[in-house]
Amino acid sequence: MGTSANNADERRTIYANWILSQAFSEVARGIRESLEEAYFFLKIAKIHDGPMKADAFNALMRESRKEAQRAKFPDLIAKVNQGLTEALVFAAEFHSLQKVRNCLEHRGGTVGAQDADADGVLILSMPRIKLSYMRGTEEIELEPGCTVDPGDERKDVEIYSQRVTRTRAYRLGERITFTADEFQEIAFACTLFLGDLVAKLPKATPGDLKRGKLV
């Protein structure tokens, strides 16, 4: 009975991690595809000068998307950054996201030499929003379900928020795993990245587009 129960628990753990790994790959792929679409938008907007025939537009669209799909992730970010109003804030973090995705998809989640740095470590770095308050001189981070306890008679407590980076290291030969809470944090980090990308795309009026001009 004990062995069967342990095997069942192990299967549940493996299955849960498989689901989370698949979900991680999907959100990482979504980041990549969003950058490819941004590259396409910037390329079209930059060279568009008045009306364009459908065949010419479709050919340009296919070529632009091929260029984006062929580009390595750091190169793709660099190309997109060139057309944005400001450089992306989270470029390094989302490069690490793609490296973890590659490990999950090509090596079953076991860190190989292709994934690790010179020290034999694969780093996943993700931005997050940290909420905290002060209890005397001690900073207390707010966690889900926690109760604010200022340690004194205060009825109103000021809540602070700041963007920080959470880092996780996987060593050579180690298997990448996630908990549901970790995946939720990763998914939220992706919304920060996409918000940053959209906010920095150049804006244009219809007249600007006709003249091939973006501001």
Side-chain angles (χ1 to χ4, degrees), residues 14 20 30 63 76 89 156 162 166 171 179 196 206:
I14 292 172
L20 292 170
E63 183 57 32
L76 179 59
V89 174
D156 297 319
Q162 58 180 314
R166 191 191 296 279
R171 299 206 164 271
T179 66
D196 187 45

Side-chain angles (χ1 to χ4, degrees), residues 95-160:
H95 184 206
S96 78
L97 182 85
Q98 296 301 317
K99 291 182 71 174
V100 172
R101 173 198 164 193
N102 288 339
C103 178
L104 287 168
E105 294 187 355
H106 300 297
R107 282 165 288 285
T110 299
V111 178
Q114 308 95 315
D115 310 304
D117 59 19
D119 296 321
V121 178
L122 172 60
I123 301 293
L124 175 62
S125 301
M126 287 285 101
R128 68 186 186 95
I129 301 299
K130 176 182 176 182
L131 300 177
S132 61
Y133 66 97
M134 299 303 296
R135 182 186 296 159
T137 58
E138 182 183 6
E139 182 184 17
I140 306 298
E141 182 173 358
L142 287 170
E143 300 287 353
C146 74
T147 300
V148 175
D149 177 14
D152 53 32
E153 300 301 320
R154 285 179 294 162
K155 293 183 178 179
D156 297 319
V157 177
E158 188 170 0
I159 304 298
Y160 303 94

Side-chain angles (χ1 to χ4, degrees), residues 14-25 183:
I14 292 172
Y15 182 56
N17 190 62
W18 179 83
I19 291 174
L20 292 170
S21 296
Q22 294 298 308
F24 180 95
S25 291
F183 175 75

Side-chain angles (χ1 to χ4, degrees), residues 164-179:
V164 298
T165 299
R166 191 191 296 279
T167 300
R168 184 166 178 184
Y170 302 96
R171 299 206 164 271
L172 191 64
E174 183 179 352
R175 188 172 182 81
I176 296 171
T177 60
F178 306 106
T179 66

Side-chain angles (χ1 to χ4, degrees), residues 8 26 54 56 74 80 94 101 111 113 123 125 132 151 163 175 195 197 200-202 204-205:
E26 288 299 319
V80 171
F94 285 93
R101 173 198 164 193
V111 178
I123 301 293
S125 301
S132 61
R163 192 180 69 223
R175 188 172 182 81
L197 174 62
K200 292 173 179 175
L201 288 170
T205 66

